[in-house]
Amino acid sequence: MSSTLAPATLSPNNPITSADVTETLATLDIAVPAAHVGDYQSLLTGIWEVWHKVDQMDDYVPAVDETRFPRTHVHRPAADENEFNAWAWKATVKGAEGGVLAGKTVCLKDNVALKGVPCLMGSDVIADWVPNTDATVVTRILEAGATITGKAVCENLSLWGVSCSASTGPMSNAYAPGYSAGGSSSGTGVLVARGVADLGVGGDQGGSIRLPAAHNGIVGLKPTTGLVPYTGIASLEAVLDHAGPMTRTVLDNAAFLAVLAGADGIDDRQQAGCPFPGAVPDYASLAQLGIAGLKVGILAEGFDQPLHDARVSALVRKAAESLRALGAQVDEVSVPMHKAAPDIWAVVGRLSATTALTGKACGRRQLCLNDLTDKMGALARHQTDKMWCSGINTLVNGAWGWEHMPPTLMGKATNLIRKLRDAYHAQLDTYDVLITPTVPMLAQPLPRAGASPAELMVNSAGLSLNTSAFNITGLPALSLPIGFLGSTHDDSVRLPVGMQIVSRFYGEDKIYRVAYAWEQAYDWKTFA
């Protein structure tokens, strides 16, 4: 490492003084002889010159062909074209002629970069962010011939599982006015479920594709970590981040995944086994191979979670057991550590997410959305008056934790994630897929306007108990609609139930085989 002594000529705006050195040393609790302070000032002055030089260089982001794929009719929709309050921004971006998605319309969760189209991320904290590039998934969708029709509302900073936190206002479940549509990919779930868009891209850090899929009766896949590049999508935390397809049918989901999937050479979440785009499996064809001889494990710990609705557990168990009639072997299995997964998630989802939210995430080899980081400076400046309680809670938890908890806590959680993945693999060495309820309970009524943080936390409790495990471990997991049940608040209100199907890394083909076989054999709207 070379030294960085102050150059002979300093930039006129170089701010370094001896006070900067002494104050920083005091913060670090480092003592140096007074005679050496000047030396360290020179070194700090020199490194500032180097950093300033790098900061003035042009950023490097993927180029976008706006001539080939122009963005037209970009606008914030008025109420008369936003009946369900699920659009954040409307735009039309037509894809290439022909292609496997020709004729399909796609909505994007509003944390996906679409150059030239404002991105709200569900929050008033982020002001006037207009991305300067396209996410990799956007490029692939357009190359495949689909038309992007806009950005779907997401929950506030993607940090909430109930469809009430977005700065644009609440939205209702596709089947039950006044009930939650889930989150944080709430708008995508509603628009796809209601047929406003054919396909949707969701994001998932703790269940945010699968929760709205379960609540709105659609198919939502959180793929194997890195299989769908997260490049150009606002990150909550790199270990947790996933993007994936949300659709009304299994085959649509499989065909859409085949377009989205494959290494892009930028996203460092991709790892051994991730195919390049030309080698992505034909998931839709594989889905139709049937399930004769496949082994299905009903994961016992997923059926008796705290706050669970016994009726949901019973219906999902019945749906899983009905796979026997289709040729699968179905057994109950146990992974006791499944119950600890939300606690492990809460370390990563608070400590590491806080560094990301405050612009301090580092150690990655990927596309950094620096134009967004600049806008996120409001968080670093503690301008939290417009933040939703989940964002404030994350920052308070994270800041306190980094200051007061053992410095090994994050490393301990990282090692335990590997232990948890090994525990699932111990069953997946025998079984092709594992099954749980996606959400242990039904969608709840939306909280009242002005609800306190405590009321909001109670309203959202338990939603991700079965989903967060597969974000930290990276295993693929899909929510499939398998029936309706009456709300515990009003039995006349019928709400969808989702079944979560999980496999090992790059086991999406097995997941689709099980999901498609069930979907073809049973009508989810009448299964009971």
Side-chain angles (χ1 to χ4, degrees):
M1 181 177 67
S2 60
S3 63
T4 53
L5 293 170
T9 302
L10 298 181
S11 302
N13 58 334
N14 191 305
I16 303 302
T17 67
S18 60
D20 292 305
V21 177
T22 56
E23 290 170 6
T24 303
L25 288 169
T27 299
L28 296 170
D29 198 23
I30 295 175
V32 301
H36 293 175
V37 170
D39 294 341
Y40 286 107
Q41 180 183 347
S42 177
L43 292 167
L44 185 57
T45 299
I47 197 63
W48 184 92
E49 293 288 339
V50 171
W51 289 344
H52 180 63
K53 183 191 304 182
V54 174
D55 187 49
Q56 297 307 301
M57 295 178 183
D58 290 337
D59 202 0
Y60 183 59
V61 301
V64 176
D65 190 344
E66 293 181 88
T67 301
R68 186 177 177 211
F69 300 123
R71 287 94 222 271
T72 62
H73 310 297
V74 178
H75 64 286
R76 174 82 181 107
D80 61 355
E81 61 172 330
N82 198 8
E83 179 183 359
F84 309 112
N85 202 33
W87 287 113
W89 280 84
K90 291 281 289 176
T92 301
V93 189
K94 293 183 178 180
E97 293 293 328
V100 295
L101 296 183
K104 298 287 189 181
T105 58
V106 177
C107 64
L108 307 172
K109 182 179 180 179
D110 196 32
N111 68 343
V112 177
L114 179 60
K115 185 178 181 181
V117 178
C119 194
L120 303 177
M121 293 176 59
S123 177
D124 284 334
V125 174
I126 310 302
D128 63 12
W129 179 39
V130 182
N132 61 7
T133 190
D134 281 351
T136 296
V137 294
V138 167
T139 303
R140 291 179 177 178
I141 288 165
L142 296 174
E143 292 285 2
T147 296
I148 294 171
T149 52
K151 307 292 292 299
V153 169
C154 72
E155 295 309 304
N156 210 293
L157 299 179
S158 297
L159 282 170
W160 203 239
V162 179
S163 57
C164 65
S165 71
S167 59
T168 50
M171 75 186 78
S172 287
N173 189 289
Y175 287 93
Y179 283 72
S180 175
S184 62
S185 306
S186 45
T188 308
V190 168
L191 292 170
V192 171
R194 290 187 174 276
V196 179
D198 296 319
L199 311 168
V201 174
D204 194 315
Q205 280 84 18
S208 293
I209 287 173
R210 291 158 289 159
L211 301 186
H215 281 351
N216 293 287
I218 63 172
V219 181
L221 175 75
K222 183 210 74 67
T224 300
T225 185
L227 177 61
V228 172
Y230 206 80
T231 303
I233 304 175
S235 173
L236 176 61
E237 202 288 326
V239 170
L240 306 178
D241 293 333
H242 297 74
M246 300 175 71
T247 62
R248 290 187 292 279
T249 70
V250 173
L251 286 189
D252 275 352
N253 202 278
F256 196 21
L257 178 64
V259 168
L260 301 175
D264 69 349
I266 302 175
D267 185 4
D268 64 357
R269 297 166 185 82
Q270 293 153 356
Q271 53 193 291
C274 184
F276 287 100
V280 171
D282 181 353
Y283 294 112
S285 293
L286 294 172
Q288 300 176 66
L289 293 179
I291 59 171
L294 291 189
K295 295 180 178 180
V296 175
I298 296 175
L299 183 59
E301 288 78 10
F303 288 77
D304 64 351
Q305 292 281 19
L307 306 177
H308 78 283
D309 183 333
R311 300 172 306 148
V312 169
S313 294
L315 187 60
V316 173
R317 184 178 292 275
K318 181 177 181 180
E321 290 176 344
S322 71
L323 293 166
R324 288 195 186 98
L326 307 180
Q329 175 184 326
V330 181
D331 303 310
E332 183 164 303
V333 301
S334 178
V335 179
M337 199 177 175
H338 180 73
K339 292 286 185 72
D343 296 337
I344 300 170
W345 184 99
V347 176
V348 180
R350 297 289 189 271
L351 295 181
S352 190
T354 294
T355 64
L357 288 169
T358 54
K360 298 176 183 177
C362 57
R364 311 295 304 184
R365 297 180 185 274
Q366 60 181 359
L367 172 66
C368 295
L369 296 174
N370 294 312
D371 53 341
L372 172 59
T373 300
D374 185 57
K375 300 295 182 184
M376 293 285 282
L379 298 181
R381 293 191 300 272
H382 307 294
Q383 297 177 9
T384 59
D385 55 310
K386 295 182 178 180
M387 287 186 67
W388 187 253
C389 65
S390 56
I392 295 174
N393 184 53
T394 296
L395 292 176
V396 169
N397 290 178
W400 190 94
W402 280 117
E403 181 70 21
H404 298 287
M405 293 302 292
T408 57
L409 180 59
M410 187 67 195
K412 177 72 71 65
T414 299
N415 289 343
L416 290 174
I417 288 169
R418 194 176 68 256
K419 181 179 181 181
L420 178 63
R421 187 167 59 236
D422 288 347
Y424 292 123
H425 281 167
Q427 293 297 344
L428 289 168
D429 285 342
T430 299
Y431 293 89
D432 296 289
V433 299
L434 304 177
I435 285 178
T436 75
T438 306
V439 186
M441 69 287 292
L442 298 173
Q444 298 297 299
L446 290 168
R448 66 177 181 86
S452 69
E455 290 176 283
L456 293 168
M457 293 297 173
V458 169
N459 181 258
S460 69
L463 289 173
S464 61
L465 290 175
N466 278 337
T467 53
S468 59
F470 306 111
N471 291 86
I472 53 177
T473 60
L475 299 177
L478 176 143
S479 183
L480 177 74
I482 52 90
F484 281 96
L485 288 170
S487 168
T488 55
H489 300 270
D490 180 352
D491 188 63
S492 69
V493 176
R494 309 299 287 176
L495 294 161
V497 175
M499 177 169 73
Q500 182 173 234
I501 309 170
V502 180
S503 191
R504 61 172 55 250
F505 275 21
Y506 310 111
E508 282 81 0
D509 59 326
K510 300 288 180 60
I511 290 174
Y512 282 135
R513 285 172 66 182
V514 172
Y516 182 69
W518 196 96
E519 180 187 68
Q520 292 303 295
Y522 306 103
D523 179 356
W524 78 269
K525 292 184 177 181
T526 60
F527 185 82

